[in-house]
Amino acid sequence: MEALIFQLYGPLASWGAPAVGETRPSSDHPGRAALLGLLAAALGIRRDDGPGQQALASSVRFAVKQFSAGRLMRDYHTVQVPGRDKKARYFTRKDELAVPKDKLNTVLSSREYRQDGLWQVAVLLNEHSDWNLDELQTALKTPVFTPYLGRKACPLAAPLAPKKVQANGLREAFASAPPRICDQHGRWLHLPDSVDFYWEDHAGDIAVQDTRQPSDDVISRERWQFGSRQEHHARIREEG
């Protein structure tokens, strides 16, 4: 197995989950849609580039090693938006707020974030891929667009540090490229004894404990449509 391993760490992250009503929840780990978006940003593939987005989705699959899901934080939002007007077109947020004040409505929402979460991601290529791991590694080292942890308000607090590895399975691949994160005083962060693995397809050296059906498989970013997929999970205690 050949994989590209990189790390995700920041003060805040928000991994989109199915939203109903005013609540915008966050998953405890980055899903397929979030990781495709991050990789597309690094490669310079725009959100409205349908063929490019589809080519990337067909080329790669992911696995995640979760050291910490982070503490859950809920943020209460009030947002002003114009009322419905079929004749009006708003191209920017500035255009929306330029309408008369008496025509603005207040929308209430609640958004979830993860504080101080730490994850590693493995990128694996499908049989027919438009990119190789060297190209993806270069893109993550020098991204075209700024990567972030789910939302633009969630910047990275450490380099992605992509590293190409060869292993007999996902557990061995992750172990060969441990995360390197230190605090503001230069001390290495302590890693937990138990970690969670999430992966698509086959892991090689991890037994499946349960299988889930997250709705984060990108169908169309332009129409913001997502489908369900199969994701395996295992929680493992690691020595040392």
Side-chain angles (χ1 to χ4, degrees):
M1 176 184 292
E2 191 174 39
L4 181 64
I5 309 292
F6 64 93
Q7 62 187 17
L8 298 175
Y9 176 71
L12 287 178
S14 185
W15 309 120
V20 178
E22 298 108 7
T23 301
R24 298 292 183 267
S26 171
S27 177
D28 60 355
H29 66 282
R32 179 171 174 80
L35 295 174
L36 281 172
L38 188 148
L39 201 53
L43 289 165
I45 302 174
R46 296 182 177 274
R47 183 174 291 174
D48 58 0
D49 181 0
Q53 293 280 350
Q54 185 57 49
L56 180 61
S58 301
S59 296
V60 299
R61 62 188 189 278
F62 301 103
V64 174
K65 182 177 183 179
Q66 178 177 279
F67 295 92
S68 171
R71 298 183 301 277
L72 183 65
M73 183 188 82
R74 289 188 175 90
D75 188 22
Y76 180 71
H77 277 252
T78 60
V79 181
Q80 287 189 307
V81 295
R84 294 191 62 184
D85 185 350
K86 294 182 179 179
K87 297 181 180 179
R89 298 186 67 185
Y90 309 105
F91 296 99
T92 66
R93 178 64 175 154
K94 183 178 180 180
D95 292 342
E96 290 183 336
L97 296 178
V99 304
K101 299 299 181 184
D102 60 345
K103 293 187 177 181
L104 288 175
N105 299 323
T106 300
V107 177
L108 307 180
S109 67
S110 176
R111 301 182 182 182
E112 292 184 351
Y113 296 88
R114 294 280 171 176
Q115 302 178 82
D116 294 317
L118 173 59
W119 304 268
Q120 277 190 298
V121 178
V123 183
L124 300 105
L125 299 181
N126 291 327
E127 184 177 355
H128 302 289
S129 175
D130 290 358
W131 293 269
N132 58 48
L133 292 183
D134 291 321
E135 292 170 328
L136 298 181
Q137 182 178 25
T138 299
L140 290 174
K141 285 182 176 179
T142 56
V144 177
F145 301 123
T146 302
Y148 47 84
L149 303 177
R151 293 184 182 275
K152 289 184 179 179
C154 304
L156 295 167
L160 294 169
K163 180 180 179 181
K164 193 170 67 170
V165 302
Q166 288 188 334
N168 294 315
L170 285 175
R171 188 177 182 183
E172 181 182 326
F174 280 117
S176 65
R180 303 290 284 176
I181 307 292
C182 42
D183 64 15
Q184 60 183 339
H185 304 294
R187 296 172 300 200
W188 295 111
L189 296 184
H190 172 71
L191 299 180
D193 295 328
S194 296
V195 297
D196 290 278
F197 291 91
Y198 302 90
W199 69 94
E200 304 172 293
D201 201 20
H202 302 290
D205 56 358
I206 308 175
V208 176
Q209 293 179 3
D210 63 270
T211 300
R212 308 172 181 188
Q213 297 284 337
S215 299
D216 61 357
D217 194 12
V218 180
I219 297 176
S220 171
R221 287 198 180 273
E222 293 179 323
R223 298 189 298 272
W224 216 247
Q225 292 179 329
F226 302 89
S228 61
R229 64 182 177 91
Q230 190 175 74
E231 179 184 76
H232 304 301
H233 167 253
R235 184 169 181 80
I236 297 177
R237 181 175 177 82
E238 294 199 321
E239 301 296 334

